[in-house]
Amino acid sequence: MRPFNKFIWETHGIHAGTEQDHVKHGIDRLEDVVDKAIEHNHPSITFIIHSPRLTNFRYTAERETDIKFIRGNRSYLNYPKRIANLREKYAGKINIKYGVELEWMGSGLGLEWSRSKIFQAEEADFVIGSVHFAPEGLPYDGTVEEAQELLKLRGSLEAYWEGYFDEMIEMIEGFGEMIQIIGHIDLPKLNVDVPEVLENFETSDHPLANKFRTLLEIIADRNLSLDVNMAGKVKGCGVYPTQAILRRAHKLQIPVCLGTDLHHVRYYGENFEESLAYIYEAGYQQYVSYSKLIPEKRTVFDDHDLKVKYTILNKGIELLNQRLNSVNRNIIPEFSFGGKFIDFLDIYKNATGMGSYNAIRIRKNEKSITVSNQIPKIENEKVKGLFSEHRDQPGVLSSIFNSLASEGINVETARLKSNNDGTAVAFLTITGEKEHIDNAMDFIKGTDQDIFLNISYQENTTLPNYYREGVYLYEMDGVQLYLPLSDQVILTKHNNQPGVLLILLSALASKNINIVDLRLGNWHKYGYSALAVEGDPREIKGLLNKLGPQYFEATLVQFHSM
């Protein structure tokens, strides 16, 4: 069997400390653990923090102090700034992710309290929903004495667990889109026994077993991920969740996340391989991590070629999900695999094959993305169109499209390539009378003669090679584009008529946004564009919101996955 990775992309990872609090929790000096990750040559590290709790949900250590305080409140508010400072300090050395463990404290005031805290996590990569406290104010993961007190209040072991599952279901319903992951689903086993009916939940007809099966089905239906948490192993009660639960989750196609739930620097890196072996035993060959709430697929195996394939898959998932609103991002997409990606059919049982077509296609909500790292074949057929060699600076394409639109000439397809020497070349296929094309070129030369080194209309000529190594957007909604992906890509769907693309290009030029690569395509009345751009993402997003009704879709895709 192939060896497992020695590194995991965590979600429930390293708990950021509570800093000045009277009762400490987590790691205050985050730099210490980042330095340790860099020493291990790890590509990424993940922090997490508890959201503050209502004052009647406190652990014994908090109640026994002479000072009344909300543990973690100040550190939680400062958390995004701490992460931003870390990212700046360690830029280029390691990828730093962060998430929030959102505390469930009931559907009344507790829910409103949690909603008020989620704003501090607006830029977080993921949110885990967790139940730590019972409505009675007693913790499930506190002391044995507290657990026994709750057990006495509830009257039986089955009632103890049933209450926990009721709170889990209520949490999923209450938090809704705020969470992506369900934390430590069998947490109560830390301090109390697991009832026999729950150990045999797959075959038992007991109401508790049925409720737990329902809980798992709700998680599957909501496309939430399950936290596989190694802290249970460290604490002596076994990994959260058990193998039986994990096997059932696999049958339900529930994705899993991995985490060590780390609270001390000295334990960093422990149980990485063990967590991969644990989920593989239950049938999983992959798990998920998150960037900006978008799931990323990760292989359990230490296989370079397979990791490359997963990188391409994740790029495609990001492209598609960022075209959708937050509700539709949670819908499981349909996959098709071809060529060297055909092995994914063994993992994605409902996927379809594409024969020797060396690409990955991802579809949902009548939108699709096709990606590959195969360099597109050079097209040797003869073409006719507008060729331009010009200075590589903002506003150049806007100048070309401006003159073409003024003569009623529509641009059907376009390709742009930076020469990385201050110049760029472009080729545009256009429709229009030759007289109008000549007029447009004269206007371009007369208006911006200092920008254009050469511009001409050519017929029966060979298209230059615009391709290089990289991951390519092959198609958008089945329309061929062949754009090599960069850090920021604009995708649009718009009316295919003269002047429409000019709106976008003029908007970008107005904010000095440079276009480093461009592809256009069309399908009947619809035009499609894919642009690699450089500039402030906030300004770009602001411009895309103002393009008008001719644009059915205009999205800035920023890549966060690795």
Side-chain angles (χ1 to χ4, degrees), residues 164-183:
Y164 179 76
F165 294 148
D166 282 339
E167 290 144 36
M168 274 276 180
I169 293 170
E170 189 179 27
M171 176 188 74
I172 294 169
E173 297 292 337
F175 280 164
E177 298 166 23
M178 290 193 288
I179 60 174
Q180 293 76 48
I181 306 157
I182 301 301

Side-chain angles (χ1 to χ4, degrees), residues 97-114:
K97 296 175 181 285
Y98 79 103
V100 167
E101 188 170 9
L102 197 61
E103 301 276 354
W104 178 254
M105 295 167 289
S107 57
L109 176 60
L111 177 57
E112 304 311 321
W113 174 276
S114 293

Side-chain angles (χ1 to χ4, degrees), residues 10 29 77 99 131 153 173 196-197 215 224 229 243 271 300 322 324 345 373 383 386 425 453 527:
E10 292 195 89
R29 281 189 48 81
L77 296 175
V131 175
L153 286 172
E173 297 292 337
E196 184 180 350
V197 296
L215 170 59
L224 295 167
N229 190 310
Q243 276 291 316
N271 289 316
V300 302
Q322 290 191 51
L324 303 168
L345 292 176
N373 66 336
V383 296
L386 191 70
V425 291
L453 307 177

Side-chain angles (χ1 to χ4, degrees), residues 264-334:
H264 301 284
V265 176
R266 64 181 178 272
Y267 298 128
Y268 175 77
E270 292 186 5
N271 289 316
F272 278 11
E273 287 185 73
E274 290 84 350
S275 66
L276 295 170
Y278 190 79
I279 65 170
Y280 181 75
E281 183 183 345
Y284 287 92
Q285 295 186 47
Q286 65 178 18
Y287 61 101
V288 295
S289 59
Y290 285 84
S291 285
K292 302 298 180 184
L293 311 184
I294 294 176
E296 307 158 324
K297 310 294 185 180
R298 305 292 181 187
T299 177
V300 302
F301 299 116
D302 187 11
D303 181 324
H304 174 73
D305 290 341
L306 189 55
K307 290 177 185 178
V308 170
K309 293 176 186 177
Y310 270 97
T311 298
I312 297 161
L313 175 63
N314 287 330
K315 295 289 186 186
I317 291 171
E318 277 199 279
L319 276 167
L320 182 59
N321 271 335
Q322 290 191 51
R323 293 180 64 193
L324 303 168
N325 60 36
S326 58
V327 175
N328 290 324
R329 287 179 184 180
N330 286 332
I331 298 172
I332 298 174
E334 302 292 332

Side-chain angles (χ1 to χ4, degrees), residues 428-545:
L428 293 74
T429 60
I430 53 182
T431 56
E433 298 293 331
K434 183 67 166 56
E435 177 185 353
H436 294 297
I437 294 172
D438 289 340
N439 280 339
M441 286 193 295
D442 288 340
F443 276 107
I444 293 169
K445 294 171 184 175
T447 305
D448 293 304
Q449 58 184 347
D450 59 324
I451 295 176
F452 290 91
L453 307 177
N454 182 40
I455 188 163
S456 62
Y457 181 76
Q458 300 180 28
E459 296 183 354
N460 198 34
T461 189
T462 302
L463 188 67
N465 180 13
Y466 288 88
Y467 302 129
R468 61 179 188 270
E469 289 189 358
V471 179
Y472 278 80
L473 168 61
Y474 265 31
E475 300 169 0
M476 176 179 171
D477 299 345
V479 175
Q480 187 182 95
L481 293 169
Y482 289 151
L483 179 80
L485 299 178
S486 60
D487 290 341
Q488 295 188 130
V489 172
I490 293 173
L491 301 178
T492 75
K493 179 180 178 181
H494 52 268
N495 272 330
N496 182 31
Q497 60 186 45
V500 175
L501 255 297
L502 176 62
I503 299 170
L504 171 62
L505 299 178
S506 298
L508 296 175
S510 73
K511 295 297 183 181
N512 214 36
I513 307 299
N514 193 33
I515 301 169
V516 295
D517 212 336
L518 167 71
R519 299 289 188 273
L520 298 183
N522 65 84
W523 177 254
H524 299 301
K525 66 178 182 179
Y526 298 115
Y528 288 82
S529 74
L531 301 82
V533 294
E534 295 174 337
D536 186 336
R538 290 168 297 184
E539 287 193 334
I540 297 171
K541 289 178 181 178
L543 294 172
L544 298 183
N545 288 329

Side-chain angles (χ1 to χ4, degrees), residues 369-420:
I369 289 291
T370 305
V371 289
S372 178
N373 66 336
Q374 179 173 299
I375 299 174
K377 294 179 181 178
I378 298 173
E379 300 157 357
N380 293 318
E381 70 268 18
K382 300 299 182 179
V383 296
K384 61 180 180 179
L386 191 70
F387 285 84
S388 169
E389 185 179 0
H390 51 264
R391 301 190 188 283
D392 189 4
Q393 64 187 49
V396 176
L397 286 180
S398 176
S399 175
I400 297 176
F401 276 71
N402 190 63
S403 294
L404 292 173
S406 71
E407 292 290 326
I409 298 167
N410 190 39
V411 180
E412 294 193 334
T413 66
R415 295 180 182 181
L416 174 69
K417 178 185 176 184
S418 173
N419 293 323
N420 298 316

